[in-house]
Amino acid sequence: MTTTTTDITKTGAAGGPGRVPSAPEQRTRSTPAPGRVSVAVYAEDLILQTGVVQQLRPRPEIELMPEEEADNAQVSLVVVDMVNESAVQLLHRLQRNTSTRTGLVVGYFEAGALQTLIEYGVSAVLRRGEADQDRLVHLVTAIAKGEGVLPGDLLGKLLDHVSSLHRTVLDPRGLSLSTLTAREAEMIRLVSEGYGTAEIAQKTSYSERTVKNVLHEVATRLDLRNRAHAVGYAMRHGLI
């Protein structure tokens, strides 16, 4: 392992560790083959690095970037045991690179780390224990499309965080983050918690037809593909 100021190594198609630059270099982005997502993998040790690279390399949807072009990847995938100071430094540096979106594969996740991930623009998180090949590819392709992916427990914590922000900061000032109506936001919140149409109808005291109509209206207005996409969109834009 190459020791750097961040103690995290970087690899692309060549598979070797490299220095994490102190600031993103300005280069013309390489264009991946049609239908493929270009990915740079950053890991805190060679074992984690090799494991993720070997999972992604055979997949036709993925193009691993060579080290010298890692800053131009569509997706930067950070693989760590936990969100420690070294990981935060790297996330901060990647945030300044506007040509890439960042995802995190993490072993242990402390509750306080959620705010850090929001601040540094991490759009998707996967626990290492669940990081098989298909889930890694799903994570990467979702990030490339601008979608958010979070484990269910972290999604709940994020919703609690946003609700707390409303209560303590925005509501007393008569402000709001949301372009959704209260009814729409509540129904999407219940979708995010895993409730079906009948359960949402029961909890909100609306008919199932009304629930379907409300969710359809939100999807149409915001050009969303399905309920999961609606939840992801609402989270990314601070609507719930």
mmCIF file with all atom_site columns, all heavy atoms in Angstrom, residues 115-133:
data_model
loop_
_atom_site.group_PDB
_atom_site.id
_atom_site.type_symbol
_atom_site.label_atom_id
_atom_site.label_alt_id
_atom_site.label_comp_id
_atom_site.label_asym_id
_atom_site.label_entity_id
_atom_site.label_seq_id
_atom_site.pdbx_PDB_ins_code
_atom_site.Cartn_x
_atom_site.Cartn_y
_atom_site.Cartn_z
_atom_site.occupancy
_atom_site.B_iso_or_equiv
_atom_site.pdbx_formal_charge
_atom_site.auth_seq_id
_atom_site.auth_comp_id
_atom_site.auth_asym_id
_atom_site.auth_atom_id
_atom_site.pdbx_PDB_model_num
ATOM 1   N N   . GLN A 1 115 ? -24.443 13.111  8.557   1.00 0.00 ? 115 GLN A N   1
ATOM 2   C CA  . GLN A 1 115 ? -24.333 14.529  8.245   1.00 0.00 ? 115 GLN A CA  1
ATOM 3   C C   . GLN A 1 115 ? -23.099 14.804  7.398   1.00 0.00 ? 115 GLN A C   1
ATOM 4   O O   . GLN A 1 115 ? -23.133 15.606  6.458   1.00 0.00 ? 115 GLN A O   1
ATOM 5   C CB  . GLN A 1 115 ? -24.272 15.347  9.530   1.00 0.00 ? 115 GLN A CB  1
ATOM 6   C CG  . GLN A 1 115 ? -24.137 16.855  9.311   1.00 0.00 ? 115 GLN A CG  1
ATOM 7   C CD  . GLN A 1 115 ? -25.354 17.464  8.648   1.00 0.00 ? 115 GLN A CD  1
ATOM 8   O OE1 . GLN A 1 115 ? -26.481 17.018  8.891   1.00 0.00 ? 115 GLN A OE1 1
ATOM 9   N NE2 . GLN A 1 115 ? -25.146 18.459  7.809   1.00 0.00 ? 115 GLN A NE2 1
ATOM 10  N N   . THR A 1 116 ? -21.998 14.107  7.689   1.00 0.00 ? 116 THR A N   1
ATOM 11  C CA  . THR A 1 116 ? -20.764 14.285  6.906   1.00 0.00 ? 116 THR A CA  1
ATOM 12  C C   . THR A 1 116 ? -20.988 13.876  5.458   1.00 0.00 ? 116 THR A C   1
ATOM 13  O O   . THR A 1 116 ? -20.555 14.580  4.538   1.00 0.00 ? 116 THR A O   1
ATOM 14  C CB  . THR A 1 116 ? -19.639 13.424  7.518   1.00 0.00 ? 116 THR A CB  1
ATOM 15  O OG1 . THR A 1 116 ? -19.392 13.864  8.851   1.00 0.00 ? 116 THR A OG1 1
ATOM 16  C CG2 . THR A 1 116 ? -18.358 13.550  6.693   1.00 0.00 ? 116 THR A CG2 1
ATOM 17  N N   . LEU A 1 117 ? -21.658 12.750  5.243   1.00 0.00 ? 117 LEU A N   1
ATOM 18  C CA  . LEU A 1 117 ? -21.904 12.292  3.876   1.00 0.00 ? 117 LEU A CA  1
ATOM 19  C C   . LEU A 1 117 ? -22.766 13.291  3.117   1.00 0.00 ? 117 LEU A C   1
ATOM 20  O O   . LEU A 1 117 ? -22.529 13.552  1.932   1.00 0.00 ? 117 LEU A O   1
ATOM 21  C CB  . LEU A 1 117 ? -22.584 10.924  3.889   1.00 0.00 ? 117 LEU A CB  1
ATOM 22  C CG  . LEU A 1 117 ? -21.831 9.782   4.574   1.00 0.00 ? 117 LEU A CG  1
ATOM 23  C CD1 . LEU A 1 117 ? -22.531 8.466   4.323   1.00 0.00 ? 117 LEU A CD1 1
ATOM 24  C CD2 . LEU A 1 117 ? -20.384 9.721   4.095   1.00 0.00 ? 117 LEU A CD2 1
ATOM 25  N N   . ILE A 1 118 ? -23.761 13.864  3.778   1.00 0.00 ? 118 ILE A N   1
ATOM 26  C CA  . ILE A 1 118 ? -24.605 14.872  3.127   1.00 0.00 ? 118 ILE A CA  1
ATOM 27  C C   . ILE A 1 118 ? -23.775 16.081  2.745   1.00 0.00 ? 118 ILE A C   1
ATOM 28  O O   . ILE A 1 118 ? -23.870 16.611  1.633   1.00 0.00 ? 118 ILE A O   1
ATOM 29  C CB  . ILE A 1 118 ? -25.761 15.273  4.066   1.00 0.00 ? 118 ILE A CB  1
ATOM 30  C CG1 . ILE A 1 118 ? -26.693 14.087  4.307   1.00 0.00 ? 118 ILE A CG1 1
ATOM 31  C CG2 . ILE A 1 118 ? -26.545 16.451  3.486   1.00 0.00 ? 118 ILE A CG2 1
ATOM 32  C CD1 . ILE A 1 118 ? -27.738 14.337  5.370   1.00 0.00 ? 118 ILE A CD1 1
ATOM 33  N N   . GLU A 1 119 ? -22.938 16.535  3.672   1.00 0.00 ? 119 GLU A N   1
ATOM 34  C CA  . GLU A 1 119 ? -22.132 17.731  3.435   1.00 0.00 ? 119 GLU A CA  1
ATOM 35  C C   . GLU A 1 119 ? -21.174 17.555  2.268   1.00 0.00 ? 119 GLU A C   1
ATOM 36  O O   . GLU A 1 119 ? -20.901 18.502  1.520   1.00 0.00 ? 119 GLU A O   1
ATOM 37  C CB  . GLU A 1 119 ? -21.353 18.092  4.694   1.00 0.00 ? 119 GLU A CB  1
ATOM 38  C CG  . GLU A 1 119 ? -22.215 18.603  5.835   1.00 0.00 ? 119 GLU A CG  1
ATOM 39  C CD  . GLU A 1 119 ? -21.406 18.834  7.097   1.00 0.00 ? 119 GLU A CD  1
ATOM 40  O OE1 . GLU A 1 119 ? -20.183 18.550  7.078   1.00 0.00 ? 119 GLU A OE1 1
ATOM 41  O OE2 . GLU A 1 119 ? -21.996 19.297  8.084   1.00 0.00 ? 119 GLU A OE2 1
ATOM 42  N N   . TYR A 1 120 ? -20.632 16.343  2.118   1.00 0.00 ? 120 TYR A N   1
ATOM 43  C CA  . TYR A 1 120 ? -19.623 16.112  1.085   1.00 0.00 ? 120 TYR A CA  1
ATOM 44  C C   . TYR A 1 120 ? -20.176 15.452  -0.164  1.00 0.00 ? 120 TYR A C   1
ATOM 45  O O   . TYR A 1 120 ? -19.429 14.939  -0.994  1.00 0.00 ? 120 TYR A O   1
ATOM 46  C CB  . TYR A 1 120 ? -18.454 15.312  1.659   1.00 0.00 ? 120 TYR A CB  1
ATOM 47  C CG  . TYR A 1 120 ? -17.656 16.121  2.662   1.00 0.00 ? 120 TYR A CG  1
ATOM 48  C CD1 . TYR A 1 120 ? -17.622 15.760  4.000   1.00 0.00 ? 120 TYR A CD1 1
ATOM 49  C CD2 . TYR A 1 120 ? -16.974 17.262  2.271   1.00 0.00 ? 120 TYR A CD2 1
ATOM 50  C CE1 . TYR A 1 120 ? -16.913 16.519  4.925   1.00 0.00 ? 120 TYR A CE1 1
ATOM 51  C CE2 . TYR A 1 120 ? -16.264 18.018  3.175   1.00 0.00 ? 120 TYR A CE2 1
ATOM 52  C CZ  . TYR A 1 120 ? -16.241 17.652  4.505   1.00 0.00 ? 120 TYR A CZ  1
ATOM 53  O OH  . TYR A 1 120 ? -15.540 18.409  5.410   1.00 0.00 ? 120 TYR A OH  1
ATOM 54  N N   . GLY A 1 121 ? -21.486 15.477  -0.331  1.00 0.00 ? 121 GLY A N   1
ATOM 55  C CA  . GLY A 1 121 ? -22.087 15.115  -1.606  1.00 0.00 ? 121 GLY A CA  1
ATOM 56  C C   . GLY A 1 121 ? -22.098 13.646  -1.949  1.00 0.00 ? 121 GLY A C   1
ATOM 57  O O   . GLY A 1 121 ? -22.204 13.282  -3.128  1.00 0.00 ? 121 GLY A O   1
ATOM 58  N N   . VAL A 1 122 ? -21.989 12.754  -0.957  1.00 0.00 ? 122 VAL A N   1
ATOM 59  C CA  . VAL A 1 122 ? -22.090 11.318  -1.237  1.00 0.00 ? 122 VAL A CA  1
ATOM 60  C C   . VAL A 1 122 ? -23.543 10.992  -1.587  1.00 0.00 ? 122 VAL A C   1
ATOM 61  O O   . VAL A 1 122 ? -24.454 11.270  -0.817  1.00 0.00 ? 122 VAL A O   1
ATOM 62  C CB  . VAL A 1 122 ? -21.638 10.485  -0.020  1.00 0.00 ? 122 VAL A CB  1
ATOM 63  C CG1 . VAL A 1 122 ? -21.877 8.996   -0.260  1.00 0.00 ? 122 VAL A CG1 1
ATOM 64  C CG2 . VAL A 1 122 ? -20.161 10.748  0.268   1.00 0.00 ? 122 VAL A CG2 1
ATOM 65  N N   . SER A 1 123 ? -23.750 10.423  -2.748  1.00 0.00 ? 123 SER A N   1
ATOM 66  C CA  . SER A 1 123 ? -25.120 10.209  -3.220  1.00 0.00 ? 123 SER A CA  1
ATOM 67  C C   . SER A 1 123 ? -25.626 8.790   -2.992  1.00 0.00 ? 123 SER A C   1
ATOM 68  O O   . SER A 1 123 ? -26.823 8.534   -3.135  1.00 0.00 ? 123 SER A O   1
ATOM 69  C CB  . SER A 1 123 ? -25.219 10.529  -4.716  1.00 0.00 ? 123 SER A CB  1
ATOM 70  O OG  . SER A 1 123 ? -24.312 9.752   -5.473  1.00 0.00 ? 123 SER A OG  1
ATOM 71  N N   . ALA A 1 124 ? -24.738 7.853   -2.617  1.00 0.00 ? 124 ALA A N   1
ATOM 72  C CA  . ALA A 1 124 ? -25.172 6.471   -2.438  1.00 0.00 ? 124 ALA A CA  1
ATOM 73  C C   . ALA A 1 124 ? -24.245 5.764   -1.463  1.00 0.00 ? 124 ALA A C   1
ATOM 74  O O   . ALA A 1 124 ? -23.038 6.023   -1.444  1.00 0.00 ? 124 ALA A O   1
ATOM 75  C CB  . ALA A 1 124 ? -25.195 5.739   -3.776  1.00 0.00 ? 124 ALA A CB  1
ATOM 76  N N   . VAL A 1 125 ? -24.835 4.880   -0.654  1.00 0.00 ? 125 VAL A N   1
ATOM 77  C CA  . VAL A 1 125 ? -24.071 4.143   0.351   1.00 0.00 ? 125 VAL A CA  1
ATOM 78  C C   . VAL A 1 125 ? -24.456 2.671   0.287   1.00 0.00 ? 125 VAL A C   1
ATOM 79  O O   . VAL A 1 125 ? -25.634 2.331   0.162   1.00 0.00 ? 125 VAL A O   1
ATOM 80  C CB  . VAL A 1 125 ? -24.351 4.679   1.775   1.00 0.00 ? 125 VAL A CB  1
ATOM 81  C CG1 . VAL A 1 125 ? -23.588 3.866   2.817   1.00 0.00 ? 125 VAL A CG1 1
ATOM 82  C CG2 . VAL A 1 125 ? -23.988 6.153   1.881   1.00 0.00 ? 125 VAL A CG2 1
ATOM 83  N N   . LEU A 1 126 ? -23.447 1.800   0.392   1.00 0.00 ? 126 LEU A N   1
ATOM 84  C CA  . LEU A 1 126 ? -23.678 0.360   0.443   1.00 0.00 ? 126 LEU A CA  1
ATOM 85  C C   . LEU A 1 126 ? -22.818 -0.208  1.558   1.00 0.00 ? 126 LEU A C   1
ATOM 86  O O   . LEU A 1 126 ? -21.638 0.129   1.673   1.00 0.00 ? 126 LEU A O   1
ATOM 87  C CB  . LEU A 1 126 ? -23.299 -0.289  -0.892  1.00 0.00 ? 126 LEU A CB  1
ATOM 88  C CG  . LEU A 1 126 ? -23.469 -1.804  -1.011  1.00 0.00 ? 126 LEU A CG  1
ATOM 89  C CD1 . LEU A 1 126 ? -24.944 -2.196  -0.898  1.00 0.00 ? 126 LEU A CD1 1
ATOM 90  C CD2 . LEU A 1 126 ? -22.891 -2.303  -2.340  1.00 0.00 ? 126 LEU A CD2 1
ATOM 91  N N   . ARG A 1 127 ? -23.407 -1.055  2.397   1.00 0.00 ? 127 ARG A N   1
ATOM 92  C CA  . ARG A 1 127 ? -22.620 -1.701  3.440   1.00 0.00 ? 127 ARG A CA  1
ATOM 93  C C   . ARG A 1 127 ? -21.754 -2.801  2.823   1.00 0.00 ? 127 ARG A C   1
ATOM 94  O O   . ARG A 1 127 ? -22.202 -3.538  1.953   1.00 0.00 ? 127 ARG A O   1
ATOM 95  C CB  . ARG A 1 127 ? -23.540 -2.289  4.506   1.00 0.00 ? 127 ARG A CB  1
ATOM 96  C CG  . ARG A 1 127 ? -24.352 -1.234  5.243   1.00 0.00 ? 127 ARG A CG  1
ATOM 97  C CD  . ARG A 1 127 ? -25.029 -1.835  6.457   1.00 0.00 ? 127 ARG A CD  1
ATOM 98  N NE  . ARG A 1 127 ? -25.951 -0.895  7.070   1.00 0.00 ? 127 ARG A NE  1
ATOM 99  C CZ  . ARG A 1 127 ? -25.605 0.109   7.865   1.00 0.00 ? 127 ARG A CZ  1
ATOM 100 N NH1 . ARG A 1 127 ? -24.325 0.299   8.138   1.00 0.00 ? 127 ARG A NH1 1
ATOM 101 N NH2 . ARG A 1 127 ? -26.508 0.916   8.385   1.00 0.00 ? 127 ARG A NH2 1
ATOM 102 N N   . ARG A 1 128 ? -20.512 -2.913  3.296   1.00 0.00 ? 128 ARG A N   1
ATOM 103 C CA  . ARG A 1 128 ? -19.587 -3.879  2.712   1.00 0.00 ? 128 ARG A CA  1
ATOM 104 C C   . ARG A 1 128 ? -20.107 -5.299  2.813   1.00 0.00 ? 128 ARG A C   1
ATOM 105 O O   . ARG A 1 128 ? -19.883 -6.120  1.925   1.00 0.00 ? 128 ARG A O   1
ATOM 106 C CB  . ARG A 1 128 ? -18.220 -3.767  3.398   1.00 0.00 ? 128 ARG A CB  1
ATOM 107 C CG  . ARG A 1 128 ? -17.308 -2.742  2.742   1.00 0.00 ? 128 ARG A CG  1
ATOM 108 C CD  . ARG A 1 128 ? -15.998 -2.630  3.442   1.00 0.00 ? 128 ARG A CD  1
ATOM 109 N NE  . ARG A 1 128 ? -15.456 -3.933  3.837   1.00 0.00 ? 128 ARG A NE  1
ATOM 110 C CZ  . ARG A 1 128 ? -14.583 -4.108  4.827   1.00 0.00 ? 128 ARG A CZ  1
ATOM 111 N NH1 . ARG A 1 128 ? -14.194 -3.079  5.531   1.00 0.00 ? 128 ARG A NH1 1
ATOM 112 N NH2 . ARG A 1 128 ? -14.130 -5.299  5.102   1.00 0.00 ? 128 ARG A NH2 1
ATOM 113 N N   . GLY A 1 129 ? -20.818 -5.622  3.887   1.00 0.00 ? 129 GLY A N   1
ATOM 114 C CA  . GLY A 1 129 ? -21.349 -6.960  4.049   1.00 0.00 ? 129 GLY A CA  1
ATOM 115 C C   . GLY A 1 129 ? -22.379 -7.324  3.000   1.00 0.00 ? 129 GLY A C   1
ATOM 116 O O   . GLY A 1 129 ? -22.680 -8.502  2.800   1.00 0.00 ? 129 GLY A O   1
ATOM 117 N N   . GLU A 1 130 ? -22.937 -6.314  2.309   1.00 0.00 ? 130 GLU A N   1
ATOM 118 C CA  . GLU A 1 130 ? -23.941 -6.547  1.275   1.00 0.00 ? 130 GLU A CA  1
ATOM 119 C C   . GLU A 1 130 ? -23.385 -6.296  -0.123  1.00 0.00 ? 130 GLU A C   1
ATOM 120 O O   . GLU A 1 130 ? -24.130 -6.355  -1.106  1.00 0.00 ? 130 GLU A O   1
ATOM 121 C CB  . GLU A 1 130 ? -25.134 -5.618  1.513   1.00 0.00 ? 130 GLU A CB  1
ATOM 122 C CG  . GLU A 1 130 ? -25.785 -5.814  2.884   1.00 0.00 ? 130 GLU A CG  1
ATOM 123 C CD  . GLU A 1 130 ? -26.840 -4.772  3.181   1.00 0.00 ? 130 GLU A CD  1
ATOM 124 O OE1 . GLU A 1 130 ? -26.956 -3.799  2.393   1.00 0.00 ? 130 GLU A OE1 1
ATOM 125 O OE2 . GLU A 1 130 ? -27.552 -4.913  4.186   1.00 0.00 ? 130 GLU A OE2 1
ATOM 126 N N   . ALA A 1 131 ? -22.092 -6.046  -0.213  1.00 0.00 ? 131 ALA A N   1
ATOM 127 C CA  . ALA A 1 131 ? -21.500 -5.590  -1.477  1.00 0.00 ? 131 ALA A CA  1
ATOM 128 C C   . ALA A 1 131 ? -21.097 -6.748  -2.373  1.00 0.00 ? 131 ALA A C   1
ATOM 129 O O   . ALA A 1 131 ? -19.915 -6.969  -2.646  1.00 0.00 ? 131 ALA A O   1
ATOM 130 C CB  . ALA A 1 131 ? -20.300 -4.681  -1.197  1.00 0.00 ? 131 ALA A CB  1
ATOM 131 N N   . ASP A 1 132 ? -22.098 -7.505  -2.858  1.00 0.00 ? 132 ASP A N   1
ATOM 132 C CA  . ASP A 1 132 ? -21.789 -8.500  -3.873  1.00 0.00 ? 132 ASP A CA  1
ATOM 133 C C   . ASP A 1 132 ? -21.726 -7.810  -5.234  1.00 0.00 ? 132 ASP A C   1
ATOM 134 O O   . ASP A 1 132 ? -21.946 -6.602  -5.354  1.00 0.00 ? 132 ASP A O   1
ATOM 135 C CB  . ASP A 1 132 ? -22.805 -9.637  -3.869  1.00 0.00 ? 132 ASP A CB  1
ATOM 136 C CG  . ASP A 1 132 ? -24.239 -9.164  -4.131  1.00 0.00 ? 132 ASP A CG  1
ATOM 137 O OD1 . ASP A 1 132 ? -24.424 -8.073  -4.717  1.00 0.00 ? 132 ASP A OD1 1
ATOM 138 O OD2 . ASP A 1 132 ? -25.179 -9.887  -3.746  1.00 0.00 ? 132 ASP A OD2 1
ATOM 139 N N   . GLN A 1 133 ? -21.407 -8.581  -6.258  1.00 0.00 ? 133 GLN A N   1
ATOM 140 C CA  . GLN A 1 133 ? -21.176 -7.982  -7.567  1.00 0.00 ? 133 GLN A CA  1
ATOM 141 C C   . GLN A 1 133 ? -22.388 -7.230  -8.096  1.00 0.00 ? 133 GLN A C   1
ATOM 142 O O   . GLN A 1 133 ? -22.278 -6.090  -8.559  1.00 0.00 ? 133 GLN A O   1
ATOM 143 C CB  . GLN A 1 133 ? -20.769 -9.067  -8.564  1.00 0.00 ? 133 GLN A CB  1
ATOM 144 C CG  . GLN A 1 133 ? -20.341 -8.506  -9.917  1.00 0.00 ? 133 GLN A CG  1
ATOM 145 C CD  . GLN A 1 133 ? -19.946 -9.616  -10.872 1.00 0.00 ? 133 GLN A CD  1
ATOM 146 O OE1 . GLN A 1 133 ? -20.813 -10.253 -11.464 1.00 0.00 ? 133 GLN A OE1 1
ATOM 147 N NE2 . GLN A 1 133 ? -18.650 -9.873  -11.009 1.00 0.00 ? 133 GLN A NE2 1
#
